[in-house]
Amino acid sequence: MLKDTVRTKTYQNVIYQNKFLFKDKVVLDVGAGTGILSLFCAKAGAKHVYAVECSLMADMAKEIVQVNGYADVITVLKGKVEEIVLPVPHVDIIISEWMGYFLLFENMLNTVLYARDKWLITDGIVLPDKASLYLTAIEDSEYKEDKIEFWNNVYGFNMSCIKKQSMMEPLIDTVDQNQIVTNCHLLKTMDISNMTSGDAAFTAPFKLVAERNDYIHALVAYFDVSFTKCHKFMGFSTGPRSRGTHWKQTVLYLEDVLTICEGEELVGSMTVSPNKKNARDVDIVLQYSLTGQRCRVSRTQHYKMR
Amino acid sequence: MLKDTVRTKTYQNVIYQNKFLFKDKVVLDVGAGTGILSLFCAKAGAKHVYAVECSLMADMAKEIVQVNGYADVITVLKGKVEEIVLPVPHVDIIISEWMGYFLLFENMLNTVLYARDKWLITDGIVLPDKASLYLTAIEDSEYKEDKIEFWNNVYGFNMSCIKKQSMMEPLIDTVDQNQIVTNCHLLKTMDISNMTSGDAAFTAPFKLVAERNDYIHALVAYFDVSFTKCHKFMGFSTGPRSRGTHWKQTVLYLEDVLTICEGEELVGSMTVSPNKKNARDVDIVLQYSLTGQRCRVSRTQHYKMR
């Protein structure tokens, strides 16, 4: 994950280029991993950093902090944020890299919100403090053929029942920006400083307008995160027009191939909610309709991220 | 996995081109997945096929068997091989795709051997019936730098304690055949028809002779499987000189960079054993020494596949 340079470099720049935010402040790093964000904060002048990590990586983080000479500034706490005892009553800053695929799949957002409500001072800051989910539509005949239609004839056998299932599983993959057929629509912005965990479940309408005559095989979701408390705007996008990250994009194949003409509108809504049995899984309901010259479709599809 | 065409096509060819083996025979498919091997066997004329699959995929396999019109020939049994009740006392053929990364990591070999001992008739056949593990040595300066030396300086911090750990984890990756510096040495052949589960733990000596002046950064392990009961030889290799498979190769980085001259010998032994706590994990001990003109090294390294 450290090798995702878009991600790590953005955090590094946010911290190193905004030392005024960190000077003499107490920082909590939620899900610290190797401790890299804590090290950035310590180097930027934080008074103290509490790095919370529940996996075995916490032991590595302790060693790394020691080896790099920050043992007096960074305290690694091995355990769950919900269970650890923080040695101070409050923190000034919470930093975390909590985002999952599709922003919300297997994410740590609830843990960040828990820490915010428990320890962050009034006027304290959360980094990043904004996350937005976007939707666009793509032409993807080649890959849909490979990934979905494949099941119609597998070495001579009909396995189309697996096709039904694989249609329901959003695919994490890199989309070429030339495949984009419509505008990109902002579905939802989350304000990490003020939201509640319930706000991560939502229904958002969308309107995607075709920018050329083409076919639509899939909708594609991606997210941006931003750090609005910096001296100037900082953040990164995981969209198909930006430099690749390990999050790639999330592709939701449509049952129909939509024949869309330039200027026509694909309208609908996306409902996102944590799965009731396992809150780290995500259920997505996509409702869409196109009333075009060459194609009229109205459909509801269900997807599950497991 | 079906999309690994080297793998699936080999099984398909073995079955379709050797119908004499299957005609009127009772077949057991161990770990049937989608049921593809069972379908091949049914189409090749098997009297009956029992497809055992313990995952949810068993339900799909039942539907696939039905849809393709083989419900009277293939019986899908959902459950563990060790727990199911087979409706017949004996089978003539056991077919399975049981191989894991490095042949033995998370493999199903023990399950195949269990089924063989419980149900296979005398003179019955196991497909595949031979599996061999090979070792060679590669130059890999670029990747070792990326994957291992990376930890020496991670965004300005020393994380070399992670390097120690990552050295112990064999890497599953595709090796370019031009990286190969020595001959390929056969470490061990397993005879699936006759071996016991204990035979999957072994120590094998090796001698790798440099074919050019070069550096050695890693040893590479890979395997072949073969079906010796066919009319003519059939099988496939997962080696770096063969067409790629999802198994790729297994790269074991060395602590030392070996400066080896053409004709010099890297000698040693590899010990492979299931992990004592989790038998699906594999422990590897590599002992090697080079007494060359430009480099003298003797070392023992431990690796864990988790």
Side-chain angles (χ1 to χ4, degrees):
Chain A
M1 297 278 269
L2 285 170
K3 292 178 183 178
D4 181 338
T5 54
V6 170
R7 182 189 82 140
T8 311
K9 271 279 175 199
T10 301
Y11 278 88
Q12 186 183 38
N13 291 339
V14 162
I15 297 166
Y16 286 0
Q17 294 173 21
N18 294 278
K19 294 202 174 94
F20 73 94
L21 289 176
F22 294 89
K23 191 164 166 12
D24 300 327
K25 295 290 167 59
V26 176
V27 180
L28 175 64
D29 179 358
V30 173
T34 58
I36 187 73
L37 301 186
S38 295
L39 289 161
F40 291 156
C41 294
K43 197 169 170 183
K47 187 162 100 186
H48 206 89
V49 185
Y50 295 96
V52 184
E53 172 58 42
C54 67
S55 80
L56 289 176
M57 191 55 82
D59 301 321
M60 287 287 172
K62 281 179 198 176
E63 196 174 333
I64 290 166
V65 163
Q66 182 76 41
V67 165
N68 289 279
Y70 286 101
D72 53 341
V73 183
I74 301 172
T75 304
V76 177
L77 300 166
K78 186 177 181 178
K80 293 189 175 180
V81 166
E82 293 81 355
E83 292 168 6
I84 53 140
V85 178
L86 200 65
V88 292
H90 300 292
V91 301
D92 301 300
I93 297 175
I94 291 176
I95 193 162
S96 182
E97 195 284 87
W98 55 267
M99 299 81 76
Y101 293 125
F102 183 66
L103 186 61
L104 295 170
F105 178 57
E106 295 191 339
N107 74 77
M108 288 196 302
L109 177 58
N110 283 348
T111 303
V112 171
L113 301 182
Y114 175 93
R116 182 197 68 186
D117 293 343
K118 188 164 180 179
W119 293 301
L120 191 67
I121 57 161
T122 315
D123 301 328
I125 64 176
V126 184
L127 298 170
D129 60 334
K130 290 278 196 315
S132 297
L133 197 64
Y134 294 83
L135 193 68
T136 189
I138 61 165
E139 184 282 325
D140 199 26
S141 52
E142 194 180 329
Y143 284 91
K144 197 182 178 199
E145 197 64 37
D146 277 9
K147 291 167 196 161
I148 305 290
E149 304 306 330
F150 168 82
W151 298 108
N152 289 337
N153 183 340
V154 180
Y155 301 92
F157 298 100
N158 174 355
M159 296 197 179
S160 51
C161 58
I162 295 182
K163 175 173 134 176
K164 279 180 221 154
Q165 192 176 303
S166 68
M167 282 285 291
M168 293 183 72
E169 294 167 2
L171 195 75
I172 306 301
D173 207 351
T174 302
V175 168
D176 186 314
Q177 58 177 309
N178 296 318
Q179 294 177 258
I180 300 174
V181 174
T182 67
N183 60 310
C184 297
H185 183 95
L186 172 63
L187 280 174
K188 171 85 174 176
T189 293
M190 295 183 190
D191 175 355
I192 319 303
S193 304
N194 294 304
M195 70 183 291
T196 66
S197 61
D199 296 336
F202 60 87
T203 295
F206 62 81
K207 182 165 83 175
L208 299 173
V209 184
E211 292 171 347
R212 62 186 188 224
N213 279 12
D214 209 332
Y215 303 94
I216 292 174
H217 298 89
L219 299 193
V220 170
Y222 62 90
F223 65 90
D224 291 0
V225 295
S226 49
F227 302 78
T228 69
K229 300 296 191 292
C230 293
H231 181 57
K232 66 174 205 177
F233 174 84
M234 297 186 93
F236 64 86
S237 171
T238 66
R241 289 198 173 92
S242 302
R243 196 171 149 206
T245 72
H246 76 281
W247 286 286
K248 302 180 180 173
Q249 288 87 41
T250 303
V251 182
L252 301 108
Y253 284 104
L254 303 183
E255 290 202 21
D256 319 276
V257 177
L258 309 180
T259 306
I260 198 164
C261 299
E262 190 179 334
E264 288 181 353
E265 293 174 1
L266 177 64
V267 294
S269 67
M270 181 182 267
T271 300
V272 177
S273 53
N275 181 261
K276 281 181 185 121
K277 281 188 194 160
N278 182 348
R280 286 170 64 79
D281 291 344
V282 176
D283 292 341
I284 303 169
V285 183
L286 192 65
Q287 184 278 317
Y288 59 91
S289 60
L290 169 65
T291 310
Q293 264 183 274
R294 294 174 180 168
C295 179
R296 285 166 178 259
V297 174
S298 183
R299 195 183 281 276
T300 300
Q301 280 185 243
H302 295 258
Y303 302 87
K304 296 166 195 288
M305 298 191 81
R306 295 288 137 84
Chain B
M1 299 279 267
L2 286 171
K3 292 178 184 178
D4 180 339
T5 53
V6 170
R7 183 189 81 138
T8 310
K9 271 279 175 199
T10 302
Y11 278 87
Q12 186 181 39
N13 291 338
V14 162
I15 297 166
Y16 287 179
Q17 294 173 21
N18 294 278
K19 294 203 173 92
F20 73 94
L21 288 176
F22 293 89
K23 191 165 167 15
D24 300 329
K25 294 289 166 59
V26 176
V27 180
L28 175 64
D29 180 357
V30 173
T34 58
I36 187 74
L37 302 185
S38 294
L39 290 161
F40 290 157
C41 294
K43 196 168 170 184
K47 187 162 100 188
H48 206 89
V49 186
Y50 295 97
V52 184
E53 172 58 43
C54 67
S55 80
L56 288 176
M57 191 54 81
D59 301 322
M60 287 287 172
K62 280 178 197 176
E63 196 173 333
I64 290 166
V65 164
Q66 181 78 39
V67 164
N68 288 278
Y70 286 100
D72 53 341
V73 183
I74 301 173
T75 304
V76 177
L77 300 166
K78 185 176 181 177
K80 293 189 174 178
V81 166
E82 292 81 356
E83 292 167 7
I84 52 140
V85 177
L86 200 64
V88 291
H90 300 292
V91 300
D92 302 299
I93 298 175
I94 291 175
I95 193 161
S96 182
E97 195 285 88
W98 55 267
M99 299 81 74
Y101 292 124
F102 184 68
L103 185 61
L104 295 170
F105 178 57
E106 295 191 340
N107 74 78
M108 289 196 301
L109 177 58
N110 283 347
T111 304
V112 171
L113 301 181
Y114 175 94
R116 181 198 68 186
D117 293 343
K118 187 164 182 179
W119 293 301
L120 191 67
I121 58 161
T122 317
D123 302 326
I125 64 176
V126 184
L127 298 171
D129 59 336
K130 291 279 195 311
S132 297
L133 196 64
Y134 294 82
L135 193 68
T136 188
I138 61 165
E139 182 282 326
D140 198 27
S141 52
E142 194 180 330
Y143 284 91
K144 197 181 177 199
E145 197 65 37
D146 277 10
K147 292 168 195 160
I148 306 289
E149 305 306 330
F150 168 82
W151 298 109
N152 289 336
N153 182 341
V154 181
Y155 301 92
F157 298 99
N158 175 353
M159 296 198 180
S160 51
C161 59
I162 296 181
K163 176 173 134 178
K164 280 179 219 155
Q165 191 176 302
S166 67
M167 282 285 291
M168 293 184 71
E169 294 166 1
L171 196 74
I172 306 302
D173 208 349
T174 302
V175 168
D176 187 314
Q177 57 177 307
N178 296 318
Q179 294 177 258
I180 300 175
V181 174
T182 66
N183 61 310
C184 297
H185 182 95
L186 172 63
L187 280 173
K188 171 84 175 177
T189 293
M190 295 183 191
D191 174 357
I192 318 302
S193 303
N194 294 303
M195 70 182 290
T196 66
S197 62
D199 296 337
F202 60 88
T203 295
F206 61 82
K207 182 166 82 176
L208 299 173
V209 185
E211 293 172 346
R212 61 185 188 226
N213 279 10
D214 209 332
Y215 303 94
I216 292 174
H217 297 90
L219 298 192
V220 170
Y222 61 90
F223 63 91
D224 290 0
V225 295
S226 49
F227 302 77
T228 70
K229 299 297 191 290
C230 293
H231 180 57
K232 66 174 205 176
F233 174 84
M234 298 186 92
F236 64 86
S237 171
T238 66
R241 290 197 171 94
S242 302
R243 195 170 150 207
T245 72
H246 77 281
W247 286 286
K248 302 179 181 174
Q249 288 86 42
T250 303
V251 182
L252 301 107
Y253 284 104
L254 303 183
E255 290 201 19
D256 319 275
V257 177
L258 310 181
T259 305
I260 199 164
C261 299
E262 191 178 336
E264 289 181 352
E265 293 174 0
L266 178 65
V267 295
S269 67
M270 181 183 265
T271 301
V272 176
S273 53
N275 181 261
K276 280 181 185 119
K277 282 189 195 159
N278 182 349
R280 285 169 65 78
D281 291 345
V282 176
D283 291 342
I284 303 169
V285 183
L286 192 65
Q287 184 278 315
Y288 60 90
S289 60
L290 169 65
T291 309
Q293 265 182 271
R294 294 175 180 168
C295 179
R296 286 166 176 258
V297 174
S298 183
R299 196 184 280 276
T300 302
Q301 281 185 241
H302 295 258
Y303 302 87
K304 296 166 195 285
M305 298 190 80
R306 295 290 137 86

